[in-house]
Amino acid sequence: MAAAGLSAFAVAHASLIVPSSTPTSQTVRLTKAVATPAAPPAEEVLIAFEEPVPGRAIVSPFGLRQLPWEGGGRLHEGVDISADSGLPVIAVADGVVVDAGTKGGYGRFVAVRHAERLTTYYAHLGAIGADVKPGVAVKAGTAIGRIGSTGTSTGPHLHFEIRDAQKRPLNPAMFLGKAFAEAGDLPLDKAKRYSGRVRMAYVSFIPESKRALMEAKNDPPLLVIKRKTTDAQDLAEAEANLQGQARKAAKQEKIDGLRELSIGPDGRPRAQLAL
């Protein structure tokens, strides 16, 4: 029994550790490993511009524009993008904040300096980011404020500008959504041009600071003239004028003692002696 038990154990043990030497119909094929090509490096660009309010369209373009309270057209130095109050406004490209605060018609605004000394302006903001201060570096897509209607504004929207190194306004439509590899690719000269046609602007809200101008334009005040003479003086002057006109007419009728008559068939004036 001991021998049989050992024999059974040996057979069982062998069945676990001895591989079959008989080839089977199932064979494992080794495939040669092929190296996956590395993704090409991203093309480097000098500057790439995103939209300051993604998905929102420009409603007032760059160029000559006349607002309802203005007597003539003037250059609209940026573009207006309509959006609901509170929506985030993002930096359109990598740069450094050079100004942030409140200024005249801009209301709350932020200015960011980019490559080639281009500067973007974001105006009429309802709020400025707490960390957005001069000297702070920002990446493209970073929220720097929120839509509002501060300053001289006709409703919630963003007034967005791009200026060159000499602070001359450029047409933002030629930059937004585009990337430029080198400085020479920037359309600086073309972006400074604008049509001579004045576009009339229609607004739904008149800023408080412009309502007096609007009222004066729609209902101009009467011109009040204060008299410097009396009725008697005006009458005496009128009579003197009439007498002077009569004397002048009588004098013109006499030409060296002759009274001028109608023009004759020969083209010469006929005259007769004054009696």
Side-chain angles (χ1 to χ4, degrees), residues 42 152 182:
T152 305
E182 300 177 355

Side-chain angles (χ1 to χ4, degrees), residues 10-225:
V11 172
H13 183 68
S15 67
L16 292 174
I17 65 172
V18 178
S20 174
S21 60
T22 304
T24 64
S25 60
Q26 296 180 353
T27 59
V28 178
R29 295 185 179 182
L30 298 178
T31 58
K32 184 179 180 180
V34 179
T36 303
E43 183 180 357
E44 293 186 0
V45 297
L46 173 67
I47 186 170
F49 291 91
E50 299 184 16
E51 296 178 357
V53 190
R56 299 289 175 154
I58 292 173
V59 295
S60 185
F62 177 86
L64 293 177
R65 181 183 73 175
Q66 182 177 345
L67 291 168
W69 56 83
E70 295 176 335
R74 61 183 177 86
L75 179 60
H76 184 217
E77 299 179 335
V79 296
D80 289 343
I81 301 172
S82 180
D84 296 332
S85 294
L87 284 180
V89 175
I90 66 171
V92 298
D94 297 346
V96 177
V97 177
V98 292
D99 203 354
T102 302
K103 181 179 180 181
Y106 277 8
R108 294 191 186 98
F109 81 105
V110 174
V112 181
R113 181 72 47 79
H114 308 280
E116 296 302 307
R117 296 179 62 195
L118 294 176
T119 305
T120 53
Y121 293 81
Y122 311 77
H124 304 319
L125 298 176
I128 298 173
D131 298 330
V132 178
K133 304 180 185 303
V136 172
V138 293
K139 300 291 291 183
T142 301
I144 57 176
R146 294 191 176 275
I147 291 291
S149 185
T150 58
T152 305
S153 173
T154 56
H157 74 284
L158 174 71
H159 174 77
F160 175 76
E161 295 181 10
I162 300 179
R163 293 180 179 266
D164 65 12
Q166 287 74 43
K167 297 184 178 181
R168 293 172 296 195
L170 305 172
N171 187 351
M174 295 187 180
F175 297 86
L176 296 180
K178 300 179 176 64
F180 303 92
E182 300 177 355
D185 298 330
L186 293 167
L188 300 181
D189 290 335
K190 191 174 181 180
K192 288 185 292 188
R193 304 172 189 171
Y194 50 88
S195 170
R197 182 178 66 88
V198 178
R199 184 181 57 82
M200 300 299 296
Y202 298 93
V203 300
S204 58
F205 174 77
I206 304 298
E208 186 69 33
S209 61
K210 302 299 181 182
R211 290 183 183 178
L213 292 175
M214 191 70 183
E215 292 174 0
K217 184 177 180 181
N218 292 337
D219 188 16
L222 295 175
L223 180 61
V224 178
I225 300 176

